[in-house]
Amino acid sequence: MTTPDLLGKILQVVMGLVVLAAVVGLLIFFIDKAPKKGRDYWQLALFLLPAMLFVAIGLVYPAIRTSFLAFQNNAGEWSLDNFIWMFTQPAAIRTLINTVLWVALAPVISTVIGLAYAVFIDKSRGEKYYKVILFMPIAISFVGAGVIWGFVYDYNGVGDQIGLLNAIVVAFGGEPVQWLQTDPINTILLIVIMIWIQTGFAMVLLSAAIKGVPTEQIEAAELDGTNAWQRFMNVTVPGIRGSLVVVFTTISIATLKVFDIVRTMTAGNFNTSVVANEMYTQAFRASEIGRGSALALILFVFVLPIVIYNVNVLRKQREIR
């Protein structure tokens, strides 16, 4: 980037900040001048207006348009061809199966490992260092994680292996394996990357939740003669149920939307594609906008029950409190 280009970018940022400050100033001015009667409602409406506009432009309109496009073919005619293709073509069905497999494995294993790790290191001498070790992967982007794990799964023919996994296989006298081209283990290996990233997230939240369990309850359980496992199942787990639901549903939604890992590692080839990757492939690589929209709609349908369940659990907990 040349110096004039850099100055141009800086000028754009400064102009953007000035415009933002002007908009906020105008909002505050009009709110201050609003009639006293009903001023609270005017304040509420004016402060919510920018956010509602962004939501409408960036979320509501695209969602409605995508829903319409899902029921149209490339000629713009209304039909169910996109959904028929999705549930009849072997490659598309495999994409749906892979997505279900991701959601069935990644959230469960991440949450279980994160919870076990949080329990084992709780109140230990080096707790904060143990947390940092497991939490570091969450700071890496999915693309970066894909590049890192690409070296782990690397295949180098019959020569010296730079891939960790094949180096171990060769060290034990085996033949190197093209891990990312071997179906179905390649999908499992991609899921491992997601688990590696999300376990740190689960551990941090669940560790904080465990520390919030009242000590009196644990001590009372000890006086009743319970062992460590019984205290964990009957005191700790019920006490952190809300956090468990949040962690599990958050990882589930992130897993449903996974795109970067698959795109970076295999680009969806070798039967590893998932809904988000196939949506991109159909819409932007194959110019099948209708099919891409139909996949996006299916992704929304998958995510919706998880969000509703999460909201219901949080609402019930708020009512109990």
Side-chain angles (χ1 to χ4, degrees), residues 127-160:
E127 181 180 351
K128 59 183 178 182
Y129 301 108
Y130 299 143
K131 283 184 177 178
V132 169
I133 292 172
L134 199 65
F135 188 72
M136 277 195 294
I138 199 72
I140 302 173
S141 68
F142 285 170
V143 174
V147 173
I148 293 171
W149 282 84
F151 288 110
V152 176
Y153 301 147
D154 186 74
Y155 169 78
N156 193 30
V158 294
D160 294 335

Side-chain angles (χ1 to χ4, degrees), residues 190 261-270 272-273 277-278 281:
L190 296 184
I261 295 174
V262 176
R263 200 70 200 173
T264 305
M265 301 293 286
T266 63
N269 295 316
F270 318 114
T272 59
S273 189
N277 177 72
E278 196 62 26
T281 302

Side-chain angles (χ1 to χ4, degrees), residues 46-128:
L46 285 174
F47 276 119
L48 283 178
L49 183 62
M52 297 303 293
L53 280 176
F54 282 122
V55 169
I57 295 171
L59 184 63
V60 177
Y61 172 71
I64 295 172
R65 179 168 169 75
T66 300
S67 300
F68 286 151
L69 289 174
F71 293 94
Q72 295 178 6
N73 56 27
N74 281 347
E77 300 168 343
W78 296 93
S79 73
L80 295 174
D81 290 349
N82 298 320
F83 294 95
I84 294 172
W85 164 83
M86 191 188 310
F87 292 107
T88 55
Q89 294 302 308
I93 293 174
R94 182 56 190 272
T95 296
L96 297 175
I97 292 174
N98 284 344
T99 304
V100 172
L101 189 62
W102 273 77
V103 177
L105 294 180
V108 174
I109 297 176
S110 300
T111 305
V112 169
I113 295 177
L115 176 60
Y117 193 89
V119 170
F120 289 140
I121 67 170
D122 188 44
K123 297 177 183 176
S124 63
R125 179 175 297 179
E127 181 180 351
K128 59 183 178 182

Side-chain angles (χ1 to χ4, degrees), residues 241 310-321:
R241 184 169 178 267
N310 195 1
V311 171
N312 283 336
V313 170
L314 294 176
R315 183 174 54 80
K316 287 178 181 176
Q317 284 190 335
R318 194 176 296 116
E319 290 174 355
I320 292 172
R321 291 172 185 170

Side-chain angles (χ1 to χ4, degrees), residues 20-300:
L20 178 63
V23 171
V24 173
L26 284 173
L27 277 176
I28 294 174
F29 173 79
F30 285 119
I31 289 171
D32 188 57
K33 296 297 181 185
K36 290 183 179 179
K37 186 178 180 181
R39 176 172 290 183
D40 292 342
Y41 295 104
W42 278 105
Q43 290 177 344
L44 181 65
L46 285 174
F47 276 119
L48 283 178
L49 183 62
M52 297 303 293
L53 280 176
F54 282 122
V55 169
I57 295 171
L59 184 63
V60 177
Y61 172 71
I64 295 172
R65 179 168 169 75
T66 300
S67 300
F68 286 151
L69 289 174
F71 293 94
Q72 295 178 6
N73 56 27
N74 281 347
E77 300 168 343
W78 296 93
S79 73
L80 295 174
D81 290 349
N82 298 320
F83 294 95
I84 294 172
W85 164 83
M86 191 188 310
F87 292 107
T88 55
Q89 294 302 308
I93 293 174
R94 182 56 190 272
T95 296
L96 297 175
I97 292 174
N98 284 344
T99 304
V100 172
L101 189 62
W102 273 77
V103 177
L105 294 180
V108 174
I109 297 176
S110 300
T111 305
V112 169
I113 295 177
L115 176 60
Y117 193 89
V119 170
F120 289 140
I121 67 170
D122 188 44
K123 297 177 183 176
S124 63
R125 179 175 297 179
E127 181 180 351
K128 59 183 178 182
Y129 301 108
Y130 299 143
K131 283 184 177 178
V132 169
I133 292 172
L134 199 65
F135 188 72
M136 277 195 294
I138 199 72
I140 302 173
S141 68
F142 285 170
V143 174
V147 173
I148 293 171
W149 282 84
F151 288 110
V152 176
Y153 301 147
D154 186 74
Y155 169 78
N156 193 30
V158 294
D160 294 335
Q161 301 297 318
I162 63 170
L164 176 63
L165 211 51
N166 271 327
I168 295 173
V169 171
V170 172
F172 282 94
E175 294 293 327
V177 180
Q178 293 181 314
W179 298 107
L180 295 179
Q181 299 181 23
T182 305
D183 182 37
I185 195 171
N186 48 9
T187 297
I188 302 298
L189 293 176
L190 296 184
I191 295 173
V192 169
I193 303 173
M194 190 67 170
I195 294 170
W196 179 68
I197 294 173
Q198 296 294 339
T199 299
F201 166 76
M203 179 271 299
V204 169
L205 264 66
L206 295 177
S207 177
I210 288 171
K211 293 185 185 305
V213 176
T215 309
E216 294 80 5
Q217 293 183 8
I218 298 175
E219 291 174 350
E222 287 178 352
L223 291 175
D224 287 341
T226 57
N227 57 37
W229 175 251
Q230 289 172 327
R231 288 195 295 275
F232 173 72
M233 292 301 297
N234 298 318
V235 178
T236 305
V237 171
I240 63 171
R241 184 169 178 267
S243 298
L244 274 172
V245 171
V246 170
V247 168
F248 184 80
T249 52
T250 303
I251 298 177
S252 297
I253 293 172
T255 304
L256 277 169
K257 298 187 299 180
V258 67
F259 168 79
D260 317 57
I261 295 174
V262 176
R263 200 70 200 173
T264 305
M265 301 293 286
T266 63
N269 295 316
F270 318 114
N271 290 329
T272 59
S273 189
V274 291
V275 170
N277 177 72
E278 196 62 26
M279 178 182 66
Y280 169 81
T281 302
Q282 293 297 329
F284 301 108
R285 308 287 292 184
S287 298
E288 293 285 351
I289 302 297
R291 291 179 181 179
S293 300
L295 287 164
L297 201 58
I298 289 295
L299 192 60
F300 175 73

